[in-house]
Amino acid sequence: MALSWWSKSLTLGLVTMSLVGCSAQQSKSLGMRSSTVKSVPQKMTNLELCETFAYSRKAKHSRVAIASEWTRRGLSHKYCDKISNEYYLTTAIKKLANTEEKPKSKKVQPVKPVK
């Protein structure tokens, strides 16, 4: 028995809504974030960097290149835990409102010359 267009749309909508209400950690446990990351480390999102460096997700590039980008962005395990447990809906709203949280920079401030 073939499903009607209406029932297919309803099923797709329910699946989409259920995924919006989950976090990256939950989708990883369902096996949805297990593919190899193929983008270069400079173009990876913070979540992808966290997954490849801290949580051992497979990546096309070397661990040294990923670690270099991790350090450059000032990421930490605490920050990675926080963003991996954040719901997708919350992340989308933060991006739309332009209030996305960035990790605190650990850059050393240059010393000002003495006058």
Side-chain angles (χ1 to χ4, degrees):
M1 182 172 148
L3 293 174
S4 67
W5 174 84
W6 193 85
S7 61
K8 287 181 184 178
S9 298
L10 180 64
T11 304
L12 182 62
L14 289 174
V15 168
T16 302
M17 290 304 292
S18 67
L19 290 178
V20 167
C22 74
S23 65
Q25 190 72 23
Q26 291 167 333
S27 62
K28 181 183 176 186
S29 67
L30 293 172
M32 298 175 70
R33 295 191 66 87
S34 60
S35 63
T36 302
V37 180
K38 295 183 181 178
S39 60
V40 295
Q42 291 80 9
K43 293 191 179 192
M44 286 183 187
T45 63
N46 285 349
L47 181 60
E48 288 175 332
L49 278 171
C50 287
E51 288 176 340
T52 54
F53 185 74
Y55 304 129
S56 301
R57 183 175 172 188
K58 293 180 184 176
K60 178 182 172 187
H61 295 280
S62 71
R63 188 158 170 85
V64 173
I66 293 168
S68 173
E69 186 64 21
W70 163 284
T71 305
R72 188 184 73 77
R73 292 189 194 181
L75 301 179
S76 66
H77 287 280
K78 185 177 178 181
Y79 173 78
C80 289
D81 290 339
K82 184 177 180 179
I83 65 169
S84 68
N85 289 325
E86 191 173 80
Y87 291 117
Y88 287 134
L89 182 62
T90 307
T91 304
I93 290 171
K94 282 183 178 179
K95 285 187 181 186
L96 288 175
N98 202 17
T99 59
E100 189 175 7
E101 183 181 338
K102 305 284 184 192
K104 293 181 176 128
S105 177
K106 295 180 182 176
K107 291 184 181 177
V108 177
Q109 297 295 324
V111 177
K112 293 182 181 180
V114 179
K115 291 183 179 180

